[in-house]
Amino acid sequence: PQAPAAFKLLTNDQGKFRIPTVFVTNAGNCLRQTKADQLSSWLGVDITEDQVVMSHSPLKMFKEYHDKHVLVVGQGPVNEIANNLGFTRVTNIDDFRHAFPTLDAVDHKRRRAAPCAFEPFFPPVEAIVLFGEPIRWETSLQLLVDTLVTNGLPALPPQSIPYPTIPILACTMNL
């Protein structure tokens, strides 16, 4: 409850911080601007997007993956977060499950009986990006393992376990 008063002490009469201030969080379920808006509301001071470092913020530097087809896992607007970081070819776990309905061996209520006709045309996954905990751990883990053992081509049965596997970019170590 004392945080807003404490942060008022750190700002001048114009509401600008007297000392350089950044906010670091291991959250990965929203955009930096959304977190800045939340903090501004909670603390009663203006906080800009540039003052917020999220667990996924360093992925902006991983430019060699930005044009690769990535499978993203996490909560919140993961496609928007990935695009905001520079990723241009993004598939989230729900869209992936929809493209490969027979791979979800866990949640039979959401599983479709017939395979999708587009499975052979699905572009290979070239990297996995873990923003944070998925909503359905068991489905996500199943699909991630299938992606890894098929070297990003889950429409084809694995001939052997690839080594090294496709890259995994993990923003938090929770998963």
Side-chain angles (χ1 to χ4, degrees), residues 65 68-72 87 124-129 147 166-169:
Y65 295 101
K68 293 188 182 294
H69 181 215
V70 297
L71 175 61
V72 295
F87 294 96
V125 173
E126 299 171 277
I128 295 171
V129 179
T147 303
I166 59 175
I168 301 172
L169 310 175

Side-chain angles (χ1 to χ4, degrees), residues 1-172:
Q2 301 306 320
F7 275 91
K8 290 281 187 210
L9 295 173
L10 297 175
T11 59
N12 62 23
D13 294 338
Q14 292 79 39
K16 303 289 183 198
F17 281 94
R18 297 173 196 259
I19 56 171
T21 305
V22 295
F23 297 83
V24 180
T25 176
N26 65 347
N29 61 347
C30 66
L31 296 166
R32 289 173 48 216
Q33 185 59 57
T34 303
K35 185 57 74 177
D37 294 343
Q38 286 176 335
L39 290 167
S40 295
S41 173
W42 295 337
L43 301 173
V45 295
D46 288 330
I47 298 167
T48 67
E49 175 182 357
D50 291 336
Q51 291 177 274
V52 177
V53 178
M54 307 283 290
S55 63
H56 50 68
S57 295
L59 291 178
K60 276 194 172 221
M61 297 184 299
F62 286 69
K63 293 182 187 303
E64 66 269 25
Y65 295 101
H66 288 178
D67 292 328
K68 293 188 182 294
H69 181 215
V70 297
L71 175 61
V72 295
V73 180
Q75 295 181 34
V78 292
N79 286 50
E80 189 177 358
I81 293 168
N83 293 150
N84 189 267
L85 292 167
F87 294 96
T88 58
R89 298 174 56 215
V90 177
T91 298
N92 63 48
I93 206 78
D94 287 334
D95 291 339
F96 191 75
R97 183 182 55 76
H98 183 74
F100 300 97
T102 57
L103 293 182
D104 188 354
V106 180
D107 192 343
H108 297 285
K109 291 178 185 171
R110 295 183 311 139
R111 187 175 178 183
R112 294 192 332 245
C116 175
F118 298 110
E119 285 180 353
F121 305 104
F122 193 86
V125 173
E126 299 171 277
I128 295 171
V129 179
L130 304 174
F131 287 134
E133 299 118 357
I135 293 177
R136 292 183 176 88
W137 283 85
E138 55 283 344
T139 294
S140 295
L141 287 172
Q142 177 67 56
L143 297 177
L144 290 174
V145 169
D146 287 338
T147 303
L148 290 170
V149 300
T150 61
N151 207 31
L153 295 165
L156 304 173
Q159 302 304 312
S160 63
I161 304 298
Y163 184 82
T165 64
I166 59 175
I168 301 172
L169 310 175
C171 298
T172 64

